[in-house]
């Protein structure tokens, strides 16, 4: 008997891994967490293999999961492209997207890739910067912005919507960090939500701290962390595969960091291409 891969189960598998959370995947796909877990289990039963494992506070791919991931993304992208081709009007134009660099490098490449295939006549211009710079009142350089904001701050800017709440986690290299008299931090410049939350949590926990490295570029930060220069704070879904979540350093239990809001701002709803990308991102993030 010919068997067929269930697209819903493939989407659950990809979402769980990309978001590093069954709960976040359930929210993204508008399903319950038990339903998402069941979809993954049935996919594993169909393929007769394990796809995901947990260790060190992270969700990891098994060897067969690694092999399936890109194929699943390709199949889902083709599905979305076909749906867009036959159910939506042709969209063209340019979208200037502003986004924090960690989301640009970790979470959105697949989403933007799917969008580009579904809407080949739309030109995307992507700029990465700190959220505070992306959301400046005088900023007129973007059609669409993805940015982080404190969850307790009210939305006062027209066109700003909250996509989701994201847990913040401590992140370090996959090696034991040398701890002596204070905790070394690798952070972005002043104004970064991650930096502010890390320093505030450590201050409240009375943990001596020093900033060992500062860089606005995400690749520079991750290289410094890989070199053992210290810890940083990131949104859970943006932790690179070569780094890991940390809960203890030497004798220190790291404090909880809470959550941050992932928000989207659209400058002009008459820009059809930007409106389509906004809907595309909202459905997937």
């Amino acid at each position: 008997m010919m068997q067929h891969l269930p697209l819903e189960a493939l989407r659950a598998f990809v979402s769980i891994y990309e978001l590093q959370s069954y709960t976040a995947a359930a929210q993204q796909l508008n399903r319950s967490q038990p339903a998402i877990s069941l979809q993954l289990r049935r996919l594993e039963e169909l393929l007769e293999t394990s796809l995901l494992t947990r260790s060190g506070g992270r969700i990891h791919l098994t060897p067969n999961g690694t092999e399936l991931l890109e194929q699943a993304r390709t199949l889902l992208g083709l599905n979305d492209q076909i749906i867009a081709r036959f159910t939506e009007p042709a969209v063209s134009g340019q979208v200037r997207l502003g986004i924090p660099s960690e989301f640009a490098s970790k979470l959105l490449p697949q989403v933007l890739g799917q969008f580009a295939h579904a809407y080949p006549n739309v030109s995307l211009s992507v700029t990465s910067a700190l959220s505070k710079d992306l959301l400046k009142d005088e900023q007129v350089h973007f059609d669409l912005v993805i940015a982080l904001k404190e969850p307790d701050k009210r939305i006062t800017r027209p066109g700003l919507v909250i996509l989701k709440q994201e847990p913040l986690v401590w992140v370090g290299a996959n090696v034991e960090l040398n701890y002596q008299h204070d905790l070394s931090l690798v952070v972005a410049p002043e104004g970064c939500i991650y930096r502010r939350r890390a320093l505030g949590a450590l201050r409240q926990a009375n943990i001596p701290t020093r900033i060992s490295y500062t860089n606005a570029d995400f690749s520079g930060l991750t290289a410094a962390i890989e070199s053992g220069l210290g810890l940083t704070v990131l949104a859970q879904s943006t932790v690179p595969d070569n780094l890991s979540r940390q809960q203890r350093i030497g004798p220190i239990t790291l404090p909880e960091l809470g959550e941050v809001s992932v928000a989207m701002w659209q400058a002009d709803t008459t820009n059809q291409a930007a409106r389509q990308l906004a809907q595309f991102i909202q459905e997937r993030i």
Side-chain angles (χ1 to χ4, degrees):
M1 181 182 298
M2 182 175 294
Q3 299 188 74
H4 301 276
L5 285 170
L7 291 179
E8 295 84 357
L10 284 176
R11 204 177 292 278
F13 160 65
V14 173
S15 295
I16 291 167
Y17 175 68
E18 289 182 347
L19 298 176
Q20 287 292 298
S21 168
Y22 283 75
T23 301
Q27 292 173 347
Q28 181 190 63
L29 300 176
N30 198 27
R31 302 294 299 274
S32 68
Q33 184 173 331
I36 292 295
S37 299
L38 180 60
Q39 285 180 334
L40 177 65
R41 185 162 67 250
R42 287 179 175 171
L43 180 62
E44 291 178 326
E45 290 172 354
L46 175 63
L47 299 178
E48 299 181 351
T49 187
S50 175
L51 299 172
L52 298 173
T53 61
R54 283 185 181 272
S55 68
R58 294 269 296 165
I59 296 174
H60 299 275
L61 295 166
T62 65
N64 284 332
T66 300
E67 183 177 352
L68 176 64
L69 182 64
E70 288 307 316
Q71 295 173 331
R73 286 171 174 164
T74 299
L75 188 55
L76 291 170
L78 181 59
N79 172 81
D80 296 343
Q81 183 178 349
I82 292 172
I83 293 294
R85 166 64 181 83
F86 287 98
T87 64
E88 297 173 357
V91 178
S92 61
Q94 182 187 43
V95 181
R96 299 164 300 173
L97 173 66
I99 185 170
S101 57
E102 70 275 15
F103 281 89
S105 62
K106 174 65 178 179
L107 188 60
L108 275 187
Q110 293 83 24
V111 175
L112 293 181
Q114 292 172 17
F115 181 84
H117 282 97
Y119 302 94
N121 294 323
V122 175
S123 173
L124 294 176
S125 175
V126 182
T127 300
S128 296
L130 293 178
S131 293
K132 71 177 184 68
D133 296 324
L134 294 172
L135 288 176
K136 281 181 179 177
D137 289 339
E138 66 271 18
Q139 183 62 266
V140 294
H141 302 301
F142 302 109
D143 302 302
L144 198 65
V145 169
I146 306 296
L148 303 176
K149 68 181 295 293
E150 294 289 358
D152 57 341
K153 291 186 177 180
R154 293 190 306 156
I155 297 177
T156 57
R157 186 188 182 101
L160 191 69
V161 297
I162 301 300
L163 297 176
K164 66 173 180 173
Q165 301 295 115
E166 181 86 26
L168 295 182
V169 296
W170 295 100
V171 179
N174 296 314
V175 295
E176 185 174 349
L177 186 66
N178 182 32
Y179 173 81
Q180 294 181 342
H181 304 295
D182 48 25
L183 187 66
S184 299
L185 292 183
V186 173
V187 291
E190 287 281 358
C192 172
I193 288 180
Y194 300 145
R195 173 184 176 133
R196 184 165 61 246
R197 194 71 67 85
L199 293 175
L202 292 170
R203 189 182 306 114
Q204 189 170 7
N206 293 316
I207 297 175
T209 306
R210 73 182 185 93
I211 295 176
S212 62
Y213 186 85
T214 302
N215 195 321
D217 179 66
F218 186 61
S219 61
L221 289 178
T222 55
I225 295 168
E226 283 188 276
S227 300
L229 293 183
L231 297 180
T232 197
V233 168
L234 290 174
Q236 179 175 268
S237 65
T238 67
V239 178
D241 295 336
N242 58 331
L243 302 177
S244 61
R245 292 179 56 180
Q246 305 288 324
Q247 295 176 312
R248 291 185 61 86
I249 297 296
I252 294 177
T253 298
L254 297 169
E256 294 293 325
L257 293 159
E259 294 185 331
V260 69
S261 296
V262 182
M264 180 171 65
W265 173 76
Q266 189 172 347
D268 180 7
T269 56
T270 64
N271 183 331
Q272 186 182 14
R275 189 170 66 246
Q276 200 66 46
L277 178 58
Q279 179 181 340
F280 201 88
I281 290 174
Q282 195 160 10
E283 290 174 350
R284 288 155 179 81
I285 292 185

